[in-house]
């Protein structure tokens, strides 16, 4: 992802970390898809310098913040919660008859349930 502040786009620079530049982007810190052709990095993802697409946090993790710049923001789901999808802003709790460890993709039934 790059941007060009010059109307003729004679010089392109990498999109700023924490943002996504989709092409024909007019600023390094775009916040409006229609006006700037880019957006702030969404929750559940992180965007390194030069991102043309947000990178999703892996399964078993989450990220509630927007504008994140590295994978270090992808937090492990806490015990007794799970996340089986990538790019999520939160984890889902296990049901009352299930448990999980940290960083889980699923919950396991407890007891005879």
């Amino acid at each position: 992802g790059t941007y060009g502040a010059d109307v003729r786009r004679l010089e392109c620079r990498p999109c700023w970390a924490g943002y996504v530049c989709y092409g024909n982007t007019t600023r390094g810190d775009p916040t409006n898809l229609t006006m700037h052709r880019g957006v702030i990095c969404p929750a559940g993802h992180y965007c390194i310098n030069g991102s043309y697409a947000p990178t999703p946090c892996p399964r078993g993790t989450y990220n509630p913040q927007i504008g994140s710049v590295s994978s270090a923001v992808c937090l492990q789901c806490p015990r007794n919660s799970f996340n089986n999808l990538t790019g999520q802003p939160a984890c889902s709790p296990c049901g009352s008859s299930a448990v999980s460890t940290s960083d889980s993709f699923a919950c396991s039934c407890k007891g005879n349930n």
Side-chain angles (χ1 to χ4, degrees):
T2 59
Y3 75 96
D6 181 318
V7 174
R8 296 179 296 166
R9 306 289 188 275
L10 297 176
E11 181 182 354
C12 293
R13 297 177 183 257
C15 193
W16 297 4
Y19 296 88
V20 183
C21 293
Y22 291 115
N24 293 323
T25 307
T26 58
R27 53 192 285 178
D29 59 345
T31 56
N32 183 294
L33 181 59
T34 304
M35 288 177 50
H36 309 142
R37 293 283 307 136
V39 295
I40 192 165
C41 195
H45 299 75
Y46 61 94
C47 300
I48 62 171
N49 193 44
S51 290
Y52 59 88
T55 303
C57 290
R59 294 181 337 150
T61 67
Y62 72 104
N63 173 19
Q65 304 298 318
I66 62 171
S68 297
V69 301
S70 80
S71 62
V73 300
C74 299
L75 307 170
Q76 288 185 344
C77 288
R79 187 176 177 178
N80 295 325
S81 68
F82 74 101
N83 195 346
N84 62 335
L85 302 172
T86 61
Q88 298 302 301
C91 298
S92 298
C94 294
S96 61
S97 60
V99 295
S100 74
T101 59
S102 296
D103 195 21
S104 284
F105 306 149
C107 300
S108 301
C109 291
K110 60 183 179 181
N112 293 329
N113 299 336

